[in-house]
Amino acid sequence: MRVAVLGSGIVGAAAALELQRDGHEVTIVEPGPPGGEQAASFGNGCWLSPGSVIPMSAPGLWRKVPGYLADPLGPLTMRWSYLPRALPWLIRFLAAGATEGRVLRIAQALRPLVVDCVARHRALAEAAGVGELIRQTGLLYVFPERSDFIAEAMSWRIRAAVGLRWIELDEDTLRQREPALDRRYRFGLVVEEGGHCTDPGAYVAALVRHAEAQGARRVQTAARGFRIAGGRLQAVQTDAGEIAAERAVIAAGAWSRALARAAGDGVPLQTERGYHVSIANPEAAPRLPIMPGDSKAANALTREGLRIAGQVEIAGLEAAPNWQRAEVLLRHALATYPGLPRDIPRERIRLWMGHRPSTPDGLPVIGPARASADIVYCFGHGHIGLAGGPASARLAADLIGGGARILDPAPYAAARFRRLPWQENAAAAARHGTR
Ligand SMILES: Cc1cc2nc3c(=O)[nH]c(=O)nc-3n(C[C@H](O)[C@H](O)[C@H](O)COP(=O)(O)OP(=O)(O)OC[C@H]3O[C@@H](n4cnc5c(N)ncnc54)[C@H](O)[C@@H]3O)c2cc1C
């Protein structure tokens, strides 16, 4: 079949390759350069984390909302001016993780998307000739004290419940393994099955090049809608005219909302804007990718240098970046690796802002569109899209092909947003037999 893939971040790039593997004729529709800075897939924290199963929404989070509004440089902020537009999403967001049972159900649905993420990425990267960009070194979480880890007991209890294993490191072992790390961190844990990508932008670009080398057509334009007749897709409408297609995959990350609307579904998709700072030739750096419990920023050594990625800003797709937020990440870098000089020349520092495509419950949207089952959604991966992209892409290809599926797509259906948050929670509980 002729399949149009709309968007070529990691999700679209992986979908294009999975569809080719199934023998389809693929056209990639993407307005930007594949792997370019416009995509979240370019500037993320590089983590391929099998433990990324805990949604941002947590029990009691609503109590912190006033603080988030008040502190423009806190780890999660909302711009006042954007609040009215974000409110419906925010209400669903707070409801999604309001109890431990809800968080567990989300974790159970996320885990199959990330459980074997390193192996999936390695296979894709090797086929594209860039196997060296994927490393299975493990991932390290560090805390000032063991009690700080215990304070996050619910998250780790749920990670353990869905099958994640880790090794605890005492102060001496941590010191030996990560000599550059500030001494205030005295406790750590390693997730050995985790890994990272040393250059996500170059990686995505290589996957798209590989798809093109295998015969995919790439059209540099934006998709805008669909021509559907009798419930069957005829063509994708783009800024450059129509592209005839029997099937389409919507994988346009944070820009997918308008395309989903054109395909019949109102999906509450927000951008959780994030930032990174990258320091070229760092004087001090971690050996493993590190997540400090206090900054909650993903630290990783990339081909470009030391990258610190994180922060959540709810301010929409259009607002200008607030670069002070990236400066906060720079301060985290200096506080985490004391061997970095205080006066790093600015030409060695690069700042980036990008858009996490985020649903309120932290689960992606994967499944058929309401207007036509020929259109399959594959977007909304929020904080886990690099890790979860390949498995999601495989599931989307399975749904296009109509045969066996790697996993049950029910938890990711767009239809969940047709119910009110509490109705959806009851439906999910019934699916899982839990409350
Ligand atoms: C600061 C930060 C840190 C992160 N850290 C991690 C991490 O460590 N690990 C992890 O797993 N995830 C992480 N993420 C999340 C991850 O980066 C995203 O979930 C993932 O990149 C989303 O991929 P995507 O392909 O859906 O979207 P994108 O990568 O954003 O790609 C979407 C593409 O669609 C294109 N597009 C836009 N409009 C149209 C249109 N009309 N038609 C066609 N195409 C269109 C865009 O140009 C873009 O190229 C992080 C994100 C951020 C911002």
Side-chain angles (χ1 to χ4, degrees):
M1 287 182 289
R2 289 172 301 174
V3 186
V5 177
L6 316 181
S8 69
I10 182 58
V11 175
L17 290 167
E18 294 295 345
L19 289 160
Q20 282 185 324
R21 190 210 292 246
D22 293 353
H24 300 299
E25 198 181 298
V26 172
T27 300
I28 297 170
V29 181
E30 162 65 64
E37 293 195 18
Q38 81 286 351
S41 301
F42 170 88
N44 53 64
C46 309
W47 276 47
L48 305 177
S49 169
S52 283
V53 296
I54 306 297
M56 289 297 286
S57 178
L61 189 71
W62 59 271
R63 283 191 220 101
K64 299 184 182 164
V65 170
Y68 295 149
L69 284 164
D71 179 3
L73 296 180
L76 194 162
T77 62
M78 266 164 272
R79 292 208 190 160
W80 271 105
S81 54
Y82 191 69
L83 186 60
R85 285 174 66 192
L87 205 57
W89 183 90
L90 200 60
I91 291 167
R92 282 186 175 274
F93 172 73
L94 293 174
T99 66
E100 182 166 342
R102 293 180 193 178
V103 176
L104 174 63
R105 285 194 295 275
I106 293 169
Q108 285 166 334
L110 283 177
R111 175 73 169 166
L113 298 178
V114 294
V115 64
D116 53 359
C117 58
V118 180
R120 285 187 181 275
H121 277 291
R122 180 162 296 149
L124 284 174
E126 277 171 5
V130 290
E132 75 285 357
L133 296 182
I134 303 298
R135 305 249 171 98
Q136 181 164 3
T137 48
L139 296 166
L140 177 59
Y141 296 78
V142 298
F143 303 86
E145 304 294 339
R146 194 169 193 284
S147 55
D148 298 301
F149 160 65
I150 302 293
E152 298 182 4
M154 186 197 81
S155 301
W156 291 97
R157 190 162 59 237
I158 289 175
R159 288 188 177 108
V162 299
L164 190 75
R165 298 289 169 262
W166 58 83
I167 298 167
E168 295 193 6
L169 304 183
D170 62 18
E171 186 177 357
D172 284 348
T173 318
L174 184 59
R175 202 72 62 229
Q176 279 164 25
R177 291 187 64 156
E178 290 293 344
L181 191 65
D182 188 82
R183 288 182 168 260
R184 77 175 180 284
Y185 297 108
R186 287 145 50 93
F187 177 76
L189 37 103
V190 181
V191 174
E192 288 190 316
E193 57 190 292
H196 71 292
C197 174
T198 56
D199 191 337
Y203 171 47
V204 171
L207 296 186
V208 174
R209 266 199 315 275
H210 183 48
E212 288 185 86
Q214 295 187 136
R217 184 163 77 102
R218 181 161 61 88
V219 184
Q220 190 148 3
T221 188
R224 298 293 173 202
F226 306 93
R227 183 156 59 79
I228 297 168
R232 305 312 305 259
L233 179 68
Q234 310 294 311
V236 175
Q237 295 159 334
T238 77
D239 285 349
E242 283 198 348
I243 295 171
E246 281 95 42
R247 299 282 188 278
V249 176
I250 300 181
W255 296 271
S256 300
R257 186 181 177 137
L259 291 168
R261 172 144 326 270
D265 285 283
V267 176
L269 187 73
Q270 262 301 333
T271 156
E272 279 184 73
R273 295 147 58 105
Y275 291 79
H276 86 216
V277 59
S278 178
I279 303 166
N281 307 312
E283 288 80 356
R287 290 175 175 166
L288 259 56
I290 290 184
M291 170 95 48
D294 42 8
S295 71
K296 288 275 183 285
N299 302 189
L301 201 51
T302 69
R303 292 206 298 194
E304 194 192 32
L306 171 59
R307 180 183 291 192
I308 314 283
Q311 304 263 343
V312 172
E313 183 183 46
I314 309 292
L317 282 167
E318 306 302 333
N322 176 359
W323 292 122
Q324 284 185 56
R325 299 186 64 81
E327 298 289 341
V328 171
L329 294 172
L330 180 58
R331 288 200 286 281
H332 282 316
L334 299 179
T336 308
Y337 308 101
L340 288 173
R342 308 293 98 174
D343 53 352
I344 302 170
R346 284 318 282 197
E347 60 272 17
R348 280 173 49 202
I349 295 176
R350 210 172 57 82
L351 309 180
W352 174 86
M353 189 275 285
H355 298 283
R356 296 182 191 88
S358 295
T359 60
D361 56 15
L363 292 171
V365 183
I366 309 171
R370 196 177 197 177
S372 169
D374 296 341
I375 303 169
V376 169
Y377 299 135
C378 198
F379 61 83
H381 291 78
H383 291 245
I384 62 118
L386 181 63
S392 304
R394 186 57 249 163
L395 179 57
D398 290 344
L399 291 165
I400 292 277
R405 296 154 183 183
I406 54 158
L407 57 121
D408 176 14
Y412 322 112
R416 70 190 191 269
F417 300 118
R418 288 179 213 144
R419 297 183 279 261
L420 293 166
W422 46 92
Q423 293 171 323
E424 173 51 22
N425 284 320
R431 263 202 311 273
H432 288 266
T434 55
R435 293 218 59 75

